[in-house]
Amino acid sequence: MAQTELLEAYRVMRTIRAFEERVHEELPNGGIPGAVHLYAGQEAVAAGVCAALRESDYIASTHRGHGHAIAKGCDITAMMLELYGKAGGLCNGKGGSMHIADFSKGMLGANGVAAGGAPLACGSALSAKVLGRDQVSVAFVGDGAANQGSFAESLTLATVWNLPVVFVVEDNFYAQATGTRYHLKGLDVARRAEAYGIPAATVDGTDWFAVHAAAEEAVERARSGGGPSLIECKAGRFFGHMEGFDQQGYRGEGEVERLRSEQDPLTLFTAKAGLAEPDLSEVDVTVDAAVELAVATAKAAPEPELSELLTDVYVSY
Ligand SMILES: Cc1ncc(C[n+]2csc(CCOP(=O)(O)OP(=O)(O)O)c2C)c(N)n1
Ligand SMILES: [Mg+2]
């Protein structure tokens, strides 16, 4: 694989990590309204999948959407402005963390509705099919969300309409505080794909190379008319379910420390990728500066104008 591609994968994952760690630091200080779910620990999934996509392809995200947005190319300053609810945010400060969207990058939105992205991705995939465009849609879905009826319905639609869609199930071992061995009986979601007659793979979600290889295959299948696929990626989250509201008493002792020391997607990536230390350091410096700038810009930015309160809505009052 080309060095430039590997360095770009590192830049994306490193950006997600720095963004999330910084948001975690900022949250107790106030200023970021609304619910925030952090993606640290799962970086290789967003980065590995989106590296297999074109800018014109679509993704539909989850409530834990910062990583997907960054990997699809959203501007991190505009994202940070959005988190702070400020003017100039990607959604004019009206969406916040859970509703970040940027159609110009094919990012159809984070989503407060568990499994809400799956039917949306079917919709964008159907539009691409009807219009004869070779765009692929990806739906990111959590392990808990995979139990939603809309996920099953989306798999049905995608199958019978042979849609160019890839369902990426992110098993981070919990749905809020409920472990997958309770709500999934410990079974892989990928096994359900057989019932729909679609190809599926279960991969280590901390391994960018494994995720990327599975994504390339599924995206190529979708783009060439081969229909939907399902990829299940297993990777634990480093933070609680939601910032400020999770004491994580359901975690095993030392679980998070173990994830950070043994299952860190960035460490695992650099150990395999063989990139030169100076190149990695240069990315680190650039990324950290960009995240600092994003936070400073967001803090200093004005609130949206009061006159904009009722714009960007479907009905007029
Ligand atoms: C339809 C719906 N039901 C319930 C909720 C409340 N809720 C928010 S996140 C969450 C758990 C989601 O778990 P999972 O899909 O595994 O995603 P993760 O938080 O682990 O990334 C639930 C039940 C919701 N947002 N939407
Ligand atoms: Mg989960």
Side-chain angles (χ1 to χ4, degrees):
M1 193 174 289
Q3 295 278 301
T4 47
E5 204 178 332
L6 292 173
L7 212 51
E8 174 60 8
Y10 179 71
R11 188 195 63 77
V12 170
M13 288 195 284
R14 184 62 174 73
T15 305
I16 299 171
R17 176 65 55 83
F19 190 95
E20 299 298 61
E21 297 276 10
R22 197 68 177 80
V23 169
H24 178 72
E25 260 173 49
E26 280 305 311
L27 269 155
N29 308 327
I32 299 181
V36 175
H37 307 78
L38 299 179
Y39 192 72
Q42 300 176 226
E43 290 91 346
V45 180
V49 169
C50 291
L53 297 176
R54 301 174 182 164
E55 190 169 80
S56 55
D57 291 331
Y58 297 110
I59 64 166
S61 174
T62 68
H63 54 285
R64 199 175 299 288
H66 306 167
H68 307 137
I70 291 170
K72 196 65 177 65
C74 294
D75 179 80
I76 61 165
T77 299
M79 282 177 64
M80 200 64 85
L81 283 158
E82 189 59 38
L83 260 68
Y84 274 82
K86 296 292 186 71
L90 266 181
C91 304
N92 299 322
K94 296 174 183 176
S97 164
M98 260 201 295
H99 303 97
I100 286 179
D102 184 353
F103 293 173
S104 73
K105 300 285 182 192
M107 165 54 173
L108 299 179
N111 204 314
V113 180
L120 290 182
C122 288
S124 55
L126 179 63
S127 86
K129 185 170 176 170
V130 169
L131 295 169
R133 299 186 181 144
D134 64 353
Q135 293 155 297
V136 172
S137 295
V138 170
F140 291 97
V141 177
D143 51 272
N147 291 325
Q148 283 289 120
S150 56
F151 181 60
E153 291 164 16
S154 299
L155 284 169
T156 302
L157 274 182
T159 306
V160 296
W161 288 344
N162 199 42
L163 297 177
V165 63
V166 181
F167 299 96
V168 176
V169 176
E170 295 191 67
D171 179 1
N172 59 6
F173 315 125
Y174 297 101
Q176 299 199 174
T178 307
T180 49
R181 71 195 153 104
Y182 294 104
H183 75 78
L184 287 171
K185 285 242 163 204
L187 298 173
D188 289 345
V189 177
R191 288 178 59 186
R192 296 182 194 167
E194 197 187 332
Y196 293 88
I198 64 172
T202 301
V203 299
D204 178 353
T206 66
D207 180 350
W208 182 89
F209 294 92
V211 173
H212 187 245
E216 289 247 281
E217 189 183 324
V219 167
E220 170 53 28
R221 182 182 299 117
R223 210 182 295 288
S224 58
S229 313
L230 190 157
I231 304 171
E232 182 176 21
C233 306
K234 293 177 184 286
R237 53 171 157 76
F238 286 180
F239 291 106
H241 169 71
M242 183 170 118
E243 287 299 283
F245 292 91
D246 187 359
Q247 301 305 315
Q248 303 191 67
Y250 53 88
R251 297 258 214 187
E253 209 181 313
E255 184 180 317
V256 175
E257 293 72 16
R258 225 172 10 258
L259 279 178
R260 282 189 180 267
S261 63
E262 293 170 20
Q263 296 282 285
D264 184 330
L266 278 125
T267 316
L268 297 172
F269 178 82
T270 47
K272 258 194 192 178
L275 293 163
E277 195 53 51
D279 290 341
L280 294 173
S281 301
E282 196 183 320
V283 171
D284 291 346
V285 170
T286 313
V287 164
D288 288 342
V291 171
E292 282 310 313
L293 178 68
V295 173
T297 307
K299 282 180 168 173
E303 303 278 336
E305 293 291 333
L306 203 56
S307 60
E308 287 178 28
L309 191 62
L310 297 180
T311 59
D312 304 323
V313 289
Y314 285 110
V315 291
S316 48
Y317 295 93

